[in-house]
C-alpha cells in the first residue's frame, strides 16, 4: 500500500522576496504533511542552506482520533539571518519529521524521476537583501 512521504513547504515569505540588509531575523510560515495517518513530530527551518536549523512551532492538530492524523500541520518560526551575509541572498529551507521518524531527503537526486512524482526533498527558497 503506497503512502505519501513526509513533506513540508515554506508558504511565507514568497520566493524572491526582499529583506532589508539590516534584518536580523525573518518570520517563516509553512505546512507539513505525512501520509498513512502519521502526524508531524517536528519541522525545522534553516536560513543558511541547511547548515544550522531552528525548530518551528506547530499549530495544534485538528480533531484527532488518538491514533491517526489525516491533516496538514501548519507551522511558523522566527529564524535568525546570518549577520555576515552583507547583501548576499538568504537561502531558506525547511524539513519535517513525522511520528514514525520518516524524514525528508536533502536533495531530489535519489528521488528523481521523469515526472517528478513524490519529490519530497527539502523545500528551498531564496530571499534577497536590499
Amino acid at each position: 500500500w503506497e503512502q505519501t512521504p513526509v513533506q513540508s513547504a515554506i508558504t511565507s515569505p514568497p520566493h524572491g522576496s526582499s529583506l532589508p540588509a539590516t534584518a536580523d531575523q525573518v518570520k517563516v510560515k509553512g505546512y507539513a504533511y505525512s501520509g498513512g495517518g502519521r502526524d508531524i513530530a517536528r519541522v525545522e527551518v534553516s536560513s543558511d542552506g541547511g547548515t544550522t536549523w531552528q525548530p518551528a512551532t506547530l499549530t495544534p492538530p485538528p480533531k484527532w482520533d488518538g491514533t491517526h492524523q489525516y491533516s496538514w500541520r501548519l507551522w511558523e518560526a522566527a529564524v535568525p539571518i546570518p549577520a555576515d551575509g552583507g547583501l548576499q541572498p538568504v537561502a531558506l529551507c525547511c524539513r519535517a519529521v513525522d511520528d514514525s521518524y520518516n524524514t525528508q531527503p536533502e536533495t531530489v537526486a535519489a528521488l528523481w524521476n521523469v515526472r517528478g512524482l513524490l519529490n519530497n526533498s527539502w523545500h528551498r527558497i531564496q530571499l534577497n537583501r536590499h
Side-chain angles (χ1 to χ4, degrees):
W1 169 24
E2 296 294 320
Q3 298 176 0
T4 307
V6 62
Q7 55 190 305
S8 64
I10 296 169
T11 58
S12 177
H15 175 71
S17 295
S18 292
L19 292 173
T22 57
D24 60 350
Q25 71 176 9
V26 61
K27 186 172 184 177
V28 183
K29 294 182 180 184
Y31 65 84
Y33 175 79
S34 190
R38 293 182 299 271
D39 194 12
I40 297 298
R42 73 175 181 269
V43 173
E44 297 170 318
V45 185
S46 174
S47 62
D48 56 16
T51 303
T52 60
W53 296 91
Q54 302 295 318
T57 302
L58 294 170
T59 59
K63 194 173 179 180
W64 186 51
D65 70 7
T67 58
H68 296 92
Q69 184 59 256
Y70 292 99
S71 66
W72 300 94
R73 291 290 298 272
L74 301 178
W75 55 265
E76 62 180 54
V79 182
I81 297 173
D84 58 351
L87 292 177
Q88 293 295 317
V90 177
L92 288 179
C93 57
C94 66
R95 64 183 181 188
V97 178
D98 70 19
D99 62 8
S100 292
Y101 297 99
N102 296 308
T103 61
Q104 293 180 255
E106 181 175 354
T107 68
V108 70
L111 308 167
W112 188 90
N113 61 78
V114 73
R115 293 176 59 195
L117 300 175
L118 298 176
N119 174 6
N120 70 323
S121 58
W122 297 353
H123 185 229
R124 299 171 187 270
I125 68 167
Q126 179 175 298
L127 303 178
N128 301 309
R129 296 186 193 191
H130 66 277

